[in-house]
Amino acid sequence: MSAATPPTRFAVAAGMVAAAHPGPAAVVTVIAALLGVAAGLPAATTACVVGAVAAGQLTIGWVNDLVDLPRDRASGRADKPLASGRVPADRIAPAVALAGGACVALSLATGWRSGLVHLLLVVGSGQAYNLGLKATVLSWVPYAVAFGSLPAVVSLAADAPGWPPWWTAAAGACLGVGAHVLNALPDLADDLRTGVRGLPHRLGERTGRAVAAGLLVAASVLAALGPAGHPPLWVWAALLLVVALAVLTMTGRGRWPFRAALGIALIDVVLLVGAG
């Protein structure tokens, strides 16, 4: 597409979807949905939780690409819709405002406790990462807080609100930090050239993979062995699959390590659902 040719509506719509980071956003939304089922939430409450999480993830993805636009252009990121010109930058702010309004309304519809945890700890952490923490040694903190808080968004939306068991928050935090490290590894060189020095950049690729794999396995062990009683046979089979995916995080190339992390995330949710 030449610079003089304006993008079509379809191209803009597809670019907006891509700019929202649809893969991670969809996985986080599915996790929230399955946790809602495991907690036995009413269908209407589950729908509000899922809608709130989806809208919040849209705002996080769009703000991320908007803030990163100068760096993405400097790095020649043709895969980024804003940097490549497939999506005009002025389309992002209205979309964030619309999704943000829906996120606030749906979050509070789940109850003030759940709503505040989602808005402040999950969405707030994501935006704090976008707006500055990404480039610092504290880049892991928003992931730990957001993923560790997601089970509480669900449990606090129940008819009898309560905090989830400690091991669910710990598993979520380990999972979030591990996914953060893996997601950053393919872009280490470009990020360093543009001034981003988060935790993954300080660890380096080899150490980062080892740390991420350890965190992901720890998350799975917590999800599998945290509940009281003896784990059934299928739980041990799930842990074996987690180990196989963790090996992929150590040996894979490109985005495959991050995709393996998302697979482990879904297995962890299955473990949590089984525990619930």
Side-chain angles (χ1 to χ4, degrees):
M1 182 180 295
S2 68
T5 303
T8 65
R9 290 183 179 180
F10 177 80
V12 171
M16 290 291 293
V17 172
H21 300 218
V27 169
V28 174
T29 303
V30 169
I31 289 174
L34 293 178
L35 288 176
V37 172
L41 296 183
T45 304
T46 300
C48 286
V49 168
V50 170
V53 170
Q57 292 302 304
L58 287 177
T59 69
I60 292 170
W62 283 328
V63 170
N64 180 276
D65 266 24
L66 187 60
V67 171
D68 284 352
L69 180 56
R71 286 193 291 262
D72 290 338
R73 284 177 173 166
S75 300
R77 293 291 300 271
D79 59 314
K80 291 294 192 78
L82 271 69
S84 66
R86 283 185 289 149
V87 174
D90 60 6
R91 298 289 183 93
I92 298 298
V96 170
L98 182 62
C103 178
V104 171
L106 290 168
S107 295
L108 296 180
T110 66
W112 68 268
R113 298 175 182 85
S114 172
L116 288 180
V117 168
H118 180 241
L119 293 172
L120 296 179
L121 299 184
V122 179
V123 180
S125 292
Q127 301 298 6
Y129 174 83
N130 289 337
L131 298 176
L133 289 181
K134 174 180 180 176
T136 75
V137 70
L138 298 178
S139 64
W140 61 273
V141 173
Y143 279 83
V145 173
F147 278 77
S149 300
L150 193 57
V153 173
V154 173
S155 65
L156 291 172
D159 291 336
W163 293 98
W166 69 268
W167 50 266
T168 62
C174 289
L175 174 65
V177 178
H180 162 52
V181 173
L182 288 175
N183 189 39
L185 292 182
D187 301 324
L188 287 184
D190 286 343
D191 287 345
L192 286 171
R193 280 195 297 269
T194 54
V196 175
R197 284 185 52 82
L199 176 65
H201 310 84
R202 297 164 193 263
L203 292 175
E205 183 173 356
R206 179 175 298 181
T207 302
R209 286 188 185 223
V211 168
L215 286 168
L216 293 172
V217 172
S220 302
V221 170
L222 285 165
L225 306 183
H230 297 290
L233 184 60
W234 71 267
V235 168
W236 295 109
L239 286 178
L240 287 176
L241 181 55
V242 164
V243 171
L245 290 172
V247 170
L248 181 56
T249 70
M250 296 285 293
T251 60
R253 293 291 181 266
R255 293 290 177 182
W256 282 107
F258 185 59
R259 291 168 183 160
L262 296 180
I264 293 175
L266 292 178
I267 293 173
D268 289 347
V269 174
V270 171
L271 292 171
L272 292 172
V273 170

